Amino acid sequence: MRNKVFLKVVLITLSILLSNGIFAQKLITGRVISASNGQPLGGVNVVAKGTTIGVMTDGDGSYKINVPSEVAYLDFSFIGYLPKSIPINDRTSIDVILEENVQMLSEVVVVGYGEQSRSIMTTSVSKLDTKVLEHAPRTNVGTALQGTIAGLRVTTTSGQPGQTPQILLRGGTDWSGGSAPLVIVDGVVSSLYGLNSEDIESIDVLKDAAATAIYGARSANGVILISTKKGKVQKSEINYSYKYGRNYMRETYEYLNARDYIYYNRLGLMNYKATTGKTNFDGFATSPSIGWGTGGNMINSVFTTQRVTSENRQYLNDPEWQWMIDPINPNDTILFQDRDLSKLIYQDSYLSDHHISFSGGNDKGLYSLGLGYIYDQGIVLGSELKRFTANLNSSYKLSNKLSVNSIFNFTHSSPKYPYLTDDEGSYNQIFERAAGFAPTARIYNSDGSLNPWVNTSIGNPLYYKDKFLRKSLEQRITGGVNLDYEILPGFNLTLKGNLFAVHLNRESFNKSYYSGGSLNTARIASASYSRSLTQQYNVLLNYKNTFGANHHLNLLLGGEYYDYYSFYMYAATKNSPTDLIYTMNAGSEASGVPTSSTTATRILSILGRITYDFNTRYLVNINFRYDGSSKLPENKWGFFPGISLGWNLHNESFFKNSLLSRYVNNFKPRVSYGVNGNVDNLSDFGAFGGYALTGIYNNEKGYYNNALPLLNLKWESSVTFDVGVDLGLFENRINLIADYFIRDIKDKLASYNLPFETGFSSITTNNGVLRNKGFELEMKANVINKGVRWDIGATFYTVKNYVVKLPDNGLERNRQGGTQIFDPKSGKVVWVGGLQEGKRVGLDEVYAHKMEYVYPDDAAVAEHATRVDMYYPSNARTVRFPGDAAWLDIDKNDTIDYRDRIFVGRTTPSAMGGFTSSLSWKNISLFIRTDYAIGHLIHSYIRVRGITQVQGSQNSTTEVLESWTPENRYTDVPRFDLTDPRYNHGAIHQPRQNSRYWEKGDYLCLREVTLSYNLPSTILKEYIKNLKIYVTGSNLKYFTKYSGPAPEQGGIDIGRYPVPRVYTFGLDVTF
Amino acid sequence: MKRKLIYLLIIVVTVLTSCEKILELKPESSLGYGSFWNSEDGAKAAQVALHANLRNYYSNLWYLGEIRSDIWGGNTIETCFDLEVIQQDISTTKVPSFAQNWAGFYTYLHLVNDIIKNVPDVPFTNEKNKNYLLGQAYGIRAFIYYTMLRTWGDVPIVLEPTTKIDFDNLYIPRSPVSEVMKQIKGDIEKSLEYFGDDNTFLNNKRIYWSKAATLTLKGDVYIWSGTHMNGGNEDYITATQSLQSVINQTSTFQLLPKFADVFSYTNKNNKEIIFALSYEIDQASNIFGNFTARKNDILNLYTRDGGTTTNIVVNGGNRNGPSTELLTKWNDFDDTRNDATFIRLYKNPNGTNYVASLLRKFWGTVNLGSQVMADDVPIYRFADVILLMAEAKNLLGEDPSYYINLIRQRAYGNKFPGHEYVNGTKEQNIAVILDERLYEFIAEGKRWWDLRRAGDNWVFANNKYLNPATDAYKLLYPLTRDMLGRNPLLTQTPGYED
């Protein structure tokens, strides 16, 4: 059998060599152009039908071919175009127009180190519909992937302009559900941050290991391949686009007004006293430091709340002031002001985005230059982004055999983060504390100056907004050169060198400011600088040929060297004489100790790929990569292969003749298996063990062992098995791509929790086997195509993570972590959550107590007179009061303790996806995009902190109005007690949580609606090729039941920067 | 052909081996594991770490030693912290954070054990310095285990640094308290052996562990074992001998004439200090920020003598306040320690309508308009030695009044006449010594240990939240479910099993 194949190959080779001169020949010349734009097409395969004789068109689309006289047809084929077979009919000149194949199932897909038509692809790769990039303004390209790529979970975690969303492929390869895909821009390992979406030609996402194996190390989480725009032959163009948008805040919590705030908090104090017997908060009622305490004054106290006395009695009729009877002491009257503070943190906000591009080329060279400038003012005080981008792609043919390509990308961005925050970190001081501050607080003092409130962490946004100067400047430069040399016909050698440099400069200065009543004049000025350089060099050898008429073979062999080095430094001074100079030179002494540090990592690789198809019917793809990483001490090398097979059933004659072919015109089942390596979870030198620096002690620093050497660590490998099908129905009016995958992450590099007695709470180890199992579906359909064209698209994706294997640690199911609850089914106390062999990964599981009802009155309380509650004070565990929560006693032992918790749900979504609709009629089109995620729970700390009043002065949402009072006994909101000492509500840091505060985060987001109009060419003068105007609404609405403004991310919401609603006007003109 | 193949093989092998070299990166900004213990410099860096990292545990040490006593839980301006612990509401559901995960002590013990294991093999130019470091390490290890013994009773004994994770020998059970005590006493002897006759302080500063610290610890430990572990007089005598050798160093250790000077920011490293942890501006701040207040919360309040708060610069929080019982009991303002410990604040200038107190100890200095908590905090000071001596003498049936009066004389200054203590019964003496220690060491992390060392009945007598009939088990802390879940050999502290 093997001999036969060998013989065949030899014969084919011979026939190629001998083909010249044996038969009668005829020379045919011609040109191939594209139907869509009339441009010549280079690289088109021209084959004399039924022979092995073939040539390619050159840069201006011309070809010359000698064909034997008996050949009747010429076959023209080109990636992304419908193939054509043209009868020769004695002609010697044949010009051909190829039509673009716009269907999803035959689109051109960028794969590792090359591109492929989907029609012969066997792996799981998704391509972004670039319509998404056309209109809506975006400061980060990652947001375009939301709901548009099945298998990606994209979560916008912040409305900060420029912020990269959280992106996760197929459930993530971490136990905790983390790890971001590798981003490659024009062949260079890079990132999404700073890319201008106008410069982007295409985005492809490699999902299964057979596709990503060629990227080996770090590709286990998928690869996002981004290509920027290239010039086109004989098509010189200047394009200018402009977008102007207004940003609007989202609807947020409804807080109590001052009257209700004072009333309920004073009631809460009485409830606290009555239920705990403690008097330690009594002072709060008259305190000047508490929003509902009556210690305020008329001049400059933080809170306006005060008792009516002879001195302030005249304000009772002042419209600026309100009064009420003190619920604690009905003989007293309280005077106060009511201010809505929740919107002080926002600012009027807009964005403007300019982009101009120049592109063109001839048969020798191509170029494309894009220049962009964007300004996006965030909706929160102090936040903004200014960014300049330049992107240049050029290529030149030095000779018939040698061509050179270069890429250059430059991003200069200066983001500013909301006042009080240095970066995209914790927002709770803004969204939880400042926005939810006591409505009785004073914004302006009587002399017109701003009242700073308590201190920086509970501060007046208007006062603090300009106190902390933060500047940051980031420059990213990508440069690369690519030499392509045709050694022999079919053999191409490519040498690549790429650099990716990031320079980040931060400066900060604290002006003098009031905090806690004293003036802080430290005036700390600091600057930090970090730079990183990624170098990547490749040698690639490519061999491409067609044997016989039907054997298409493509071989790739290459090597890669990857080197990353980064440097960081920081210094600070203090005691500057004025607020006017923000740089360190004005400081008179050092603040802290200056520091600098470096880190580095390297990867060496050998890679290869074999693509073969027979007559575009049987498809085979083999990938491999051999990687060595500097992060691993001993087992540096790993081998990662991938193989995939596909079968274009629709090309089989039996299928064509079958009845099915009337409805199904594209049917390609495919299967793939592949292995990826991953060492991302290891820090650069994390496996080598070492001694870390201590704090400074008496002007000295010490070293102590904080990491053990982990010499026997090995590559984490993820093995993906993927079965999929590409379906085209009803003349490809409906296209479907579906995939089912099982991905086993073996030797998972993860931290393993140790007994504390070892001196380490955890170490990194090859910790078990994690499995992702899921299903993906992408669908595109043309619903109407008669004058009006209506296309719809949908993606759906679901994934679950399982624990397959864990290191043997002597515990049942080799459990790691977790918690114990009573399981009513087995009647036993069981371990749940954490990691347990054979179960789903439980790290995102939520367990909390279930409140059955609120005790309405003493009679109801008496029913549980013997019930012990372990969360109550140890001397009064059976004492409860009307208004307390009645907890579900799962084990029926009349004791409420940790065992009586229920499984509430998970913090990660179970399914997500999106829908698009594109409707066009003549020159008008309407585009709608939505995305959704379901199944994740969110604990809103803002809501819970308000209703537990653990801070003391914080405002609460209006939910408090429904809480139990003697007048409002039948309710599902427990009594409002100061600090919630009985954990009826349970803030996340308290010992007991109430499941009612874990809300469903399910949402459907109306992400984009665009109405656009192309001016008819009859109106345009000849020097304007195209003019389009449009209006877009972005992030218009979340359809969700979640109480907060940002439902996308599960888990604890301590205050999030919500994405703004944006209304944009846009203009796009091409000359 | 064969030869060509061999050449090819050689080339491939050379390329691959050079590849291996390319992948051998060395960190530039951190120390590798293998190279650390080769030099005296490394050992000296470990000596700094021994103290710098002990400082990280001060908060836990403090809470374990004081919060459950009768000192705190009174009025505060902001919502008070630790109320549940103060009220002894402790269970497996409510294990206070400072007592979780063995208070993190095993992480620190790893460092100490690393020193004890490796330093003997490090070449030192002066052998004396090596021994001194080992004396410190053994002394501190004894101190940590003593703290753990007093907190949990039985605890796992770990004497070697972890060098690798061996899944077969991962779990260590709790050792009985007697074993732990034996280990502590052994370490104390090792420490004294290594210190030899070296009574100096490292860098001449009392912020490093010294022989005197081990001697004081020894006194402390032997009184405990005398009372709690049937050591009796033999242990008390050992304690007095050890304490006496500190007292004998009259030029090194003295009671300062003024109580407040012991804590003065400008008077660090004074003769009263035996061992303190160092806090400096820009280096570290101590934990007492929450015992002060925010400036604007005290603006309109008055001090005890009717003074205003205008000149008090504070910017911490007011989260821990002295208990009403303490304030009522200790209204003797002839005792200079009173005003040097608390600034009591009132709504009215005539000293009525008490609001809250600021802790006057350890509040550092004012730097650029704000308060910096940069005071050293003592672990042992000379007054401690004096009063431990009083304790030991009394337990031996001797008259402790000399030592009590030394402390009182300093406390009352020229108002001392009339406050002299005259020897009473053993029980009376204990009560007086406990009171004296209370007033002397407020906020120094001592009171809970003092009551415990005196005997369980003294804990119950001084704590209204603990009932001897039902709460005896609470003198020790429970383990968290997480601790038990990670180590199947651990058993819950008796009384807490659920």
Side-chain angles (χ1 to χ4, degrees), chain A residues 72-116:
Chain A
Y73 288 89
L74 278 185
D75 287 342
F76 294 84
S77 63
F78 187 54
I79 276 180
Y81 287 79
L82 293 171
K84 261 190 178 170
S85 204
I86 308 279
I88 297 174
N89 294 342
D90 296 334
R91 284 183 291 180
T92 53
S93 168
I94 300 176
D95 291 345
V96 175
I97 299 170
L98 288 186
E99 282 182 50
E100 258 181 287
N101 190 338
V102 290
Q103 278 140 6
M104 179 165 78
L105 299 180
S106 46
E107 66 200 350
V108 179
V109 175
V110 181
V111 295
Y113 306 96
E115 49 186 39
Q116 246 186 349

Side-chain angles (χ1 to χ4, degrees), chain B residues 361-378:
Chain B
K361 286 177 173 176
F362 311 127
W363 74 2
T365 185
V366 176
N367 181 275
L368 306 175
S370 51
Q371 184 193 16
V372 191
M373 309 304 290
D375 267 334
D376 292 353
V377 292

Side-chain angles (χ1 to χ4, degrees), chain A residues 3-25:
Chain A
N3 282 343
K4 254 186 186 171
V5 173
F6 180 70
L7 202 68
K8 221 172 180 181
V9 171
V10 171
L11 283 175
I12 291 164
T13 318
L14 275 176
S15 68
I16 296 167
L17 294 173
L18 298 176
S19 58
N20 278 339
I22 289 182
F23 307 103
Q25 299 283 319

Side-chain angles (χ1 to χ4, degrees), chain B residues 282-302:
Chain B
D282 279 346
Q283 298 185 5
S285 324
N286 67 37
I287 66 164
F288 295 99
N290 280 327
F291 295 72
T292 62
R294 298 186 291 235
K295 177 77 175 170
N296 54 5
D297 289 349
I298 59 166
L299 276 182
N300 300 314
L301 303 177
Y302 297 90

